[in-house]
Amino acid sequence: MSGSANILVGLVVVAWILWRQVQQRPVREDRKPTVLLILLVLGVVALGAYFKKEPATGLAIALLAGSLVLAAGFGVVRGYTVRLWRQDGVLFRQGTWLTILLWLAAIGSHLGLDVLIDSGAKGLGGASILLYLAVSLGAQRLVVQARATRLGSFA
């Protein structure tokens, strides 16, 4: 995929993620991380395709790694903003306005780092957006699952 196609797909995925974040949903222990795995695979494929065509500087790789660490950090913090409650014996989850604000800040930070990354490797930032989303979503999921485990009684 081209850089603009990656960005377009990334924006669609972000819109879908934000919509899903504010939905009240049961927390299920056995829920497979399908979306997360799809994003991860697509992100790795996009990066692989990028690196086949373009060399990247050490600085660009370091900035990309820093971006992924930042994605995980935002995901951990967001995981603590998700509201968990029990209703009729079922554990539910729902993101808050702070969850959405942190998602927007995470995307903004990735876009900001894209400018720096692109100075050493044009298009690398766009090629990494799906991997960035996968890392951030995965970290959030781990925190929410850990919090839910402490509360017990999954759906």
Side-chain angles (χ1 to χ4, degrees):
M1 271 195 291
S2 70
S4 56
N6 282 330
I7 292 170
L8 180 61
V9 169
L11 289 173
V12 169
V13 170
V14 167
W16 182 77
I17 287 172
L18 292 177
W19 176 77
R20 293 270 299 168
Q21 292 288 301
V22 296
Q23 303 300 307
Q24 293 182 7
R25 294 183 298 145
V27 180
R28 292 184 25 218
E29 187 175 26
D30 63 344
R31 184 175 187 100
K32 305 286 187 259
T34 307
V35 170
L36 180 62
L37 292 174
I38 290 170
L39 286 175
L40 184 64
V41 168
L42 290 175
V44 168
V45 167
L47 274 179
Y50 174 85
F51 285 127
K52 271 187 160 178
K53 297 186 315 185
E54 300 286 335
T57 65
L59 177 60
I61 299 295
L63 288 170
L64 177 61
S67 173
L68 295 176
V69 169
L70 191 60
F74 270 112
V76 167
V77 173
R78 273 194 326 270
Y80 289 102
T81 68
V82 173
R83 192 169 77 103
L84 295 173
W85 75 96
R86 190 174 320 285
Q87 181 177 330
D88 299 325
V90 177
L91 194 60
F92 284 87
R93 65 168 301 278
Q94 181 180 28
T96 65
W97 65 270
L98 187 54
T99 311
I100 299 303
L101 188 63
L102 286 167
W103 263 112
L104 296 174
I107 298 305
S109 71
H110 182 72
L111 294 175
L113 282 171
D114 278 357
V115 173
L116 294 173
I117 291 170
D118 280 354
S119 68
K122 189 78 174 147
L124 180 57
S128 65
I129 187 67
L130 295 177
L131 183 58
Y132 181 90
L133 293 172
V135 168
S136 198
L137 191 60
Q140 178 181 334
R141 180 182 183 357
L142 289 173
V143 170
V144 170
Q145 291 287 18
R147 289 178 58 215
T149 297
R150 285 192 298 272
L151 291 173
S153 294
F154 281 87

